[in-house]
Amino acid sequence: MKHTPIGRSGLMTSPLTLGSMLFGEKSERTTPEPEAQRIMDHYLATGGNHIDTANVYAEGRSEEIIGRHLGGKRQRVILSTKVRFPMGEDPNQSGLSRLHVIESVHDSLRRLNTDYIDLLYLHCWDPITPLSETLRALDDLVSSGKVRYLGISNFKAWQLMKAQGMAEQSGYSPFIAAQYQYSLVKRDLEYEFADLCATEGLGLLPWGPLGGGFLSGKYTPDQQPTEGRIATTADHTEESWERRNQAQNWEILAVVDRIAKSHKSSHVAVALAWLLHKEIVPSVIIGARTFVQLEQNLEAATLEFSSDEMAQLDEVSKLPELYPYRMIEAYGGR
């Protein structure tokens, strides 16, 4: 795989990052530990070097599975995890307070069986804790060597910009990575985050690149699914059938299907490769639950599009024009 720096840093990542949200999950949608180990081994053998997890994934079991298996491979892997969400019933076991951030990092280090985290993300905004408190705690963790780089996920654009601006003004370690939902059927972040990441030196690492499985090609407009993630997601939520069963999404899928056939590839590889052709995206987080799904995902790393194919995918999935973006663009804002 071709490796690329994350944002304005020297940290080199493979184009596909192995997501581990389902490792050890206690539900039907789980990746049991033996399968997770097999997935990690194959991913690393093909040139992947970036494994993403979070302290809340499977109540910490995802981190434990990774920690038990990496062993001597740890030095060649970028290991990223996250902090923010509740890790217990105590009110101080949640949020981005200095107490919870530092305690969570220590717990993650223990579960991951390592003495440093390569990339630590703030998993979501905390409306209670002063941002200055969080940023100072993060910088202390970087200075101590327990964390090497910082990232942000699920912040609003102004929140991310404020955090980055305060970090730079204070001389703290800047954020180099941003994790957000992004796919051919979910491009909303382009209104604000594309320019923000480009100008502020953040690499965008998309999660949910297949739209909850919609872009896998296994769905048809005339039949509501009875199994899989979309079938089991509650109505009105982000990845429900109700939200995905839209005319534009089926038009997108038709173009994906045509391009996949022309390359003798898969819908999955085309959807992932479209993201990898975006300049601000150094790596895409793949959520392969099984070994077979991993093999399909890995095809994207070597799939190249013509400029015409990219234009077709961009056009069919384009966002509606909104104010003030259309006015800014009309008057040379780009």
Side-chain angles (χ1 to χ4, degrees), residues 1-4 13-17 47 49 276 281-285 301:
M1 296 188 191
K2 180 182 178 182
H3 294 71
T4 307
T13 181
S14 51
L16 299 175
T17 295
N49 77 333
L276 288 173
V281 176
S283 186
V284 176
I285 301 169

Side-chain angles (χ1 to χ4, degrees), residues 62-77:
S62 173
E63 288 185 330
E64 291 172 348
I65 289 171
I66 294 167
R68 278 194 291 269
H69 190 62
L70 278 185
K73 307 181 189 77
R74 170 67 185 96
Q75 299 298 323
R76 55 177 287 221
V77 174

